[in-house]
């Protein structure tokens, strides 16, 4: 090691020709007006001093032998304190494991390496430096290492800022979906990964869209930030947390095998147990939550995401619903995919059309209207009910296309009935929940009615209880008022089976209350009979007509009539029929009215 023991200022090296050269001592000088005689190595040394890189020399084990004097000046540490292992005291503790690992790899494969580390400066701050190292190998062994330090703090900070923006949600500061997935994959790929269970929880915020529509996106954004903050406080620093979509969050944590798996769900639910305060106003929001576990539900990170998404999808069927993944969800997902494929194919081939089920006055037996029900034609099995492709209505784009196709056919059918003088009464049409989520529907519906040459009073819009819960109440109330003023009636379908309450009947302009078929199963049952009677009385008090669905026997019709129900609909009168059979059905029911 004698060749480099005396330091950069005095050590003997070889120039480009291989001949030994001596670095000039700093005390040497030429006389006035004279030019110093410079060796090739002097030129290299001066060029190095003018550049940003600072050279160093270490032995085979990485023990520092010499360093550029500028390093001592930057760190404020004497030369004796930097050489040997002393320089490690200037390296950020969080970077030491990486540094040691890089040296071990370099010694094993005898290859150059470089890495970034933070060095403590004399002012007490850390700055990022890039370290490059090249081995001097002789007889297959590393004799020494030589390399450079280079300050690239500003470039590293700029790069970190760009990387932070790329990996984080701008609003909440949480990881975004791409970075979150990458981090979860990294957890699975870690070589020292333990045998703990990995829990993945996905959350979809309920009732955020109505708040945005009523109070503005600024309030919605602040609510999202509050949700992010509460999740962070609830789960602490040991969890990966992300905002993966507009109103969706995700978290991933590890639990010891055999621990309480439900604890993560309970903590997630507790986040929404209290209202959120924004600008002096309280907002009560909830979340639909889906959870999956590794290794119980999936073998790797991507499969875990898929299973958690299955669970979340099932949870989103209601408000504040929590679901853990089970195998049946995968089968349900496959059925939904099949429904989407079949519906798209039937739509493209124009095999979607309405059938019409009559609504009959329970006192006079007169047909007062029809409900238009979606049917589709299977290539081999013929006409099929809508239930076979119900999953298609969960896709916003496809649901809109199906609604439009149905409406176009209904318009054509009504035109033909009018031309033939068929007394069809009023046709009830259904619109999917996702169509209401897309925004105001009144203007679009009235425009289509006008383009079709119809009058709004020929139609009745049926909405489900989910619409009342899902939509902003002010916007929905305005839509319904606009439609009613134009002459269209509004029916609330399946009342009594969901989350709608009596207050909704007061807040919204409802003309017709449809009693769910579930209450028709045993009309002689005391409980069912009491519920039906109460719903009918409620309708009378509020001047709302009542329609009983699923009427299949004359006994049911008789009991409904005695209770004061206005209209019946069901197989007792007729199943749904194609438009061409409506005129004959009306005549047939008029002749048979006395039978019920």
């Amino acid at each position: 090691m004698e060749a480099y023991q005396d330091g950069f200022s005095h050590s003997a090296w070889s120039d480009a020709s291989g001949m030994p050269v001596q670095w000039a001592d700093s005390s040497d000088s030429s006389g006035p007006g004279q030019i110093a005689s410079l060796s090739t190595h002097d030129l290299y040394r001066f060029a190095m001093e003018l550049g940003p890189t600072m050279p160093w020399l270490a032995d085979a084990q990485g023990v520092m032998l010499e360093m550029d004097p500028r390093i001592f000046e930057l760190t404020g540490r004497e030369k004796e304190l930097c050489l040997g292992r002393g320089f490690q005291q200037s390296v950020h503790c969080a970077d030491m494991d990486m540094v040691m690992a890089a040296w071990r790899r370099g010694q094993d494969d005898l290859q150059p390496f470089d890495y970034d580390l933070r060095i403590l400066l004399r002012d007490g701050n850390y700055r990022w430096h890039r370290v490059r190292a090249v081995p001097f190998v002789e007889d297959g062994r590393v004799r020494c290492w030589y390399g450079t330090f280079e300050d690239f703090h500003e470039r590293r900070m700029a790069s970190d800022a760009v990387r932070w923006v790329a990996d984080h949600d701008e609003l909440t500061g949480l990881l975004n979906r791409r970075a979150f997935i990458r981090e979860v994959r990294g957890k699975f790929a870690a070589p020292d990964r333990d045998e703990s269970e990995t829990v993945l929880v996905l959350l979809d915020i309920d009732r955020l869209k109505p708040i945005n529509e009523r109070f503005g996106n600024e309030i919605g954004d602040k609510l999202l930030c509050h949700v992010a903050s509460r999740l962070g406080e609830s789960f602490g620093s040991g969890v990966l947390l992300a905002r993966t979509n507009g109103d969706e969050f995700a978290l991933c944590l590890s639990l010891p095998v055999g621990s309480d798996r439900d604890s993560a769900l309970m903590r997630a639910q507790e986040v929404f147990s209290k209202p959120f305060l924004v600008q002096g106003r309280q907002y009560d929001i909830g979340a639909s939550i889906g959870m999956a576990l590794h290794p119980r539900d999936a073998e790797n990170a991507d499969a875990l995401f898929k299973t958690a998404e299955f669970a979340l999808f099932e949870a989103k069927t209601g408000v504040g619903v929590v679901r853990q993944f089970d195998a049946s969800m995968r089968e349900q997902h496959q059925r939904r995919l099949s429904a989407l494929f079949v519906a798209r194919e039937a739509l493209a081939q124009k095999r979607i059309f309405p059938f019409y089920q009559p609504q009959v006055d329970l006192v006079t037996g007169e047909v007062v209207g029809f409900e238009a029900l979606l049917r589709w034609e299977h290539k081999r099995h013929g006409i099929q009910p809508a239930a076979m492709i119900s999953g298609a209505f969960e896709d916003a784009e496809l649901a809109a296309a199906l609604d439009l196709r149905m409406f176009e056919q209904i318009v054509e059918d009504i035109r033909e009935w009018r031309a033939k003088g068929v007394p069809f009464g009023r046709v009830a049409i259904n619109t999917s929940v996702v169509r209401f989520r897309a925004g105001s529907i009144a203007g679009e519906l009235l425009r289509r009615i006008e383009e079709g040459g119809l009058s709004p009073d020929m139609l009745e819009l049926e909405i489900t209880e989910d619409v009342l819960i899902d939509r902003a109440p002010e916007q929905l109330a305005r839509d319904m008022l606009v439609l009613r003023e134009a002459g269209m009636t509004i029916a609330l379908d399946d009342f009594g089976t969901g989350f709608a309450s009596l207050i909704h009947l007061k807040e919204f302009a409802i003309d017709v209350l449809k009693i769910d078929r579930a209450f028709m199963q045993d009309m002689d049952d005391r409980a069912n009979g009491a519920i039906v009677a109460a719903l009918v009385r409620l309708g009378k008090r509020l001047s709302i007509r009542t329609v009983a669905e699923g009427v299949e026997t004359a006994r049911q019709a008789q009991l409904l009539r005695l209770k004061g129900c206005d209209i019946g609909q069901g197989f007792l009168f007729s199943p749904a029929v194609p438009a061409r059979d409506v005129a004959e059905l009306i005549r047939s029911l008029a002749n048979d009215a006395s039978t019920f």
Side-chain angles (χ1 to χ4, degrees):
M1 308 297 286
E2 293 80 7
Y4 43 81
Q5 286 290 345
D6 293 334
F8 282 148
S9 297
H10 301 282
S11 57
W13 296 74
S14 298
D15 64 12
S17 65
M19 297 298 293
V21 298
Q22 189 74 26
W23 282 17
D25 189 277
S26 57
S27 62
D28 294 346
S29 67
S30 301
Q34 295 181 0
I35 301 176
S37 175
L38 299 177
S39 68
T40 303
H41 194 79
D42 289 330
L43 293 176
Y44 290 155
R45 179 172 64 86
F46 293 151
M48 181 70 75
E49 291 175 352
L50 289 174
T53 57
M54 296 171 284
W56 54 264
L57 185 70
D59 68 13
Q61 285 70 44
V63 176
M64 287 293 177
L65 300 173
E66 279 298 336
M67 305 178 80
D68 190 306
R70 285 176 292 176
I71 297 176
F72 312 143
E73 176 66 23
L74 286 172
T75 61
R77 296 173 64 84
E78 299 293 335
K79 177 178 180 179
E80 292 74 15
L81 297 178
C82 286
L83 298 184
R85 301 286 185 185
F87 186 71
Q88 295 179 6
Q89 301 300 316
S90 296
V91 177
H92 196 293
C93 60
D95 298 333
M96 278 305 303
D97 288 343
M98 175 272 300
V99 171
M100 300 308 296
W103 276 98
R104 285 193 295 269
R105 287 193 302 271
Q107 291 170 335
D108 289 341
D109 58 25
L110 308 182
Q111 294 296 315
F113 62 86
D114 63 77
Y115 53 81
D116 303 337
L117 56 74
R118 285 160 288 186
I119 296 178
L120 181 63
L121 305 188
R122 64 167 55 244
D123 62 5
N125 294 314
Y126 283 94
R127 286 183 69 84
W128 283 100
H129 286 70
R130 185 173 187 182
V131 180
R132 293 181 174 91
V134 177
F136 177 75
V137 180
E138 189 176 64
D139 298 328
R141 295 176 55 196
V142 174
R143 297 297 182 179
C144 64
W145 291 86
Y146 57 95
T148 58
F149 286 104
E150 180 182 2
D151 184 320
F152 81 128
H153 187 77
E154 280 73 21
R155 280 179 289 165
R156 172 63 186 245
M157 297 305 290
S159 175
D160 286 350
V162 171
R163 189 160 47 245
W164 192 95
V165 170
D167 288 347
H168 290 78
D169 170 51
E170 182 179 3
L171 177 65
T172 64
L174 301 179
L175 292 174
N176 57 29
R177 180 181 178 85
R178 181 184 62 82
F180 182 74
I181 293 175
R182 184 189 67 230
E183 292 295 324
V184 175
R185 287 172 177 164
K187 286 172 65 73
F188 277 75
D192 57 347
R193 186 168 180 271
D194 57 27
E195 296 301 319
S196 61
E197 290 184 319
T198 300
V199 182
L200 182 63
V201 180
L202 304 181
L203 305 92
D204 185 271
I205 309 303
D206 298 324
R207 296 188 290 271
L208 186 65
K209 182 176 175 61
I211 290 174
N212 280 334
E213 293 176 346
R214 181 178 181 182
F215 301 104
N217 290 332
E218 180 183 358
I219 298 298
D221 288 348
K222 289 183 181 299
L223 281 171
L224 289 171
C225 290
H226 282 305
V227 170
S229 178
R230 283 197 191 177
L231 286 170
E233 292 171 0
S234 177
F235 287 93
S237 59
V239 65
L240 287 175
L241 185 58
R243 180 186 176 210
T244 54
N245 208 336
D247 57 358
E248 293 183 4
F249 291 81
L251 58 94
C252 182
L253 67 158
S254 297
L255 293 176
V257 175
S259 60
D260 183 8
R261 298 164 175 172
D262 294 335
S263 62
L265 286 176
M266 293 175 63
R267 287 157 66 186
Q269 285 179 293
E270 288 173 359
V271 167
F272 304 92
S273 62
K274 297 179 181 179
F276 292 81
L277 184 64
V278 177
Q279 296 183 358
R281 185 187 183 100
Q282 289 187 341
Y283 296 89
D284 188 12
I285 60 175
S288 302
I289 303 174
M291 185 182 85
L293 299 172
H294 169 83
R296 187 193 71 178
D297 302 325
E299 296 181 355
N300 55 55
D302 292 329
L304 188 63
F305 267 98
K306 184 63 67 177
T307 53
E309 286 172 347
F310 290 157
L312 179 62
F313 192 91
E314 294 300 323
K316 289 168 68 172
T317 57
V319 176
V321 178
V322 177
R323 291 285 184 270
Q324 290 193 43
F325 174 79
D326 64 63
S328 66
M329 293 178 181
R330 186 176 285 108
E331 298 172 3
Q332 293 168 1
H333 177 69
Q334 292 300 323
R335 286 195 292 268
R336 281 192 292 269
L337 291 179
S338 177
L340 289 173
F341 174 79
V342 170
R344 287 194 180 99
E345 185 180 58
L347 192 61
Q349 297 175 2
K350 296 184 177 181
R351 291 187 283 111
I352 300 287
F353 34 77
F355 269 38
Y356 299 91
Q357 187 169 40
Q359 296 177 338
V360 177
D361 188 305
L362 290 172
V363 176
T364 67
E366 176 187 4
V367 174
V368 295
F370 287 84
E371 180 181 0
L373 301 171
L374 184 147
R375 296 291 184 266
W376 61 283
E377 184 179 12
H378 191 280
K379 293 180 179 179
R380 295 192 304 273
H381 304 301
I383 304 302
Q384 302 294 315
M388 298 285 291
I389 57 171
S390 59
F393 287 96
E394 296 164 0
D395 181 280
E397 183 178 349
L398 187 53
L402 290 168
D403 281 351
L404 177 59
R405 171 65 179 170
M406 282 286 290
F407 192 78
E408 290 173 344
Q409 292 296 305
I410 292 168
V411 168
E412 290 302 316
D413 293 340
I414 292 177
R415 281 175 173 172
E416 187 172 345
W417 293 336
R418 292 180 68 195
K420 294 179 179 179
V422 177
F424 59 88
R426 194 186 296 264
V427 177
I429 60 175
N430 296 277
T431 301
S432 58
V433 174
V434 293
R435 293 291 294 116
F436 281 91
R437 290 175 183 161
S440 177
I441 195 174
E444 178 187 358
L445 199 53
L446 291 176
R447 176 179 56 80
R448 289 182 180 177
I449 291 173
E450 182 179 1
E451 291 174 352
L454 304 184
S455 172
D457 60 8
M458 299 175 185
L459 296 167
E460 180 172 280
L461 178 64
E462 286 196 6
I463 62 174
T464 63
E465 294 185 350
D466 290 341
V467 173
L468 302 184
I469 301 298
D470 191 70
R471 285 284 292 156
E474 289 81 2
Q475 181 61 62
L476 181 59
R478 285 194 294 270
D479 278 352
M480 294 169 69
L481 183 60
V482 168
L483 293 174
R484 289 185 84 228
E485 289 179 344
M488 184 181 294
T489 54
I490 308 295
L492 179 58
D493 199 11
D494 300 334
F495 185 75
T497 61
F499 294 96
S501 64
L502 299 181
I503 194 64
H504 290 112
L505 299 182
K506 178 182 177 181
E507 290 182 348
F508 300 104
I510 302 295
D511 300 290
V512 178
L513 194 62
K514 302 195 74 174
I515 303 172
D516 189 76
R517 65 181 65 249
F519 300 114
M520 300 298 113
Q521 298 303 313
D522 188 359
M523 284 290 291
D524 289 309
D525 176 76
R526 182 177 180 180
N528 276 0
I531 292 173
V532 172
L535 293 177
V536 170
R537 286 196 300 271
L538 179 64
K540 297 292 185 186
R541 291 290 183 87
L542 298 176
S543 300
I544 297 175
R545 285 180 291 130
T546 50
V547 177
E549 297 182 294
V551 181
E552 298 181 355
T553 68
R555 172 64 176 169
Q556 291 172 341
Q558 180 186 22
L559 291 174
L560 287 167
R561 186 165 56 249
L562 291 173
K563 295 179 186 300
C565 185
D566 300 306
I567 298 168
Q569 177 181 338
F571 277 22
L572 173 64
F573 312 109
S574 173
V577 299
R580 63 178 180 271
D581 295 341
V582 163
E584 179 57 34
L585 176 61
I586 293 174
R587 285 192 292 269
S588 174
L589 289 174
N591 294 332
D592 297 341
S594 60
T595 61
F596 54 85

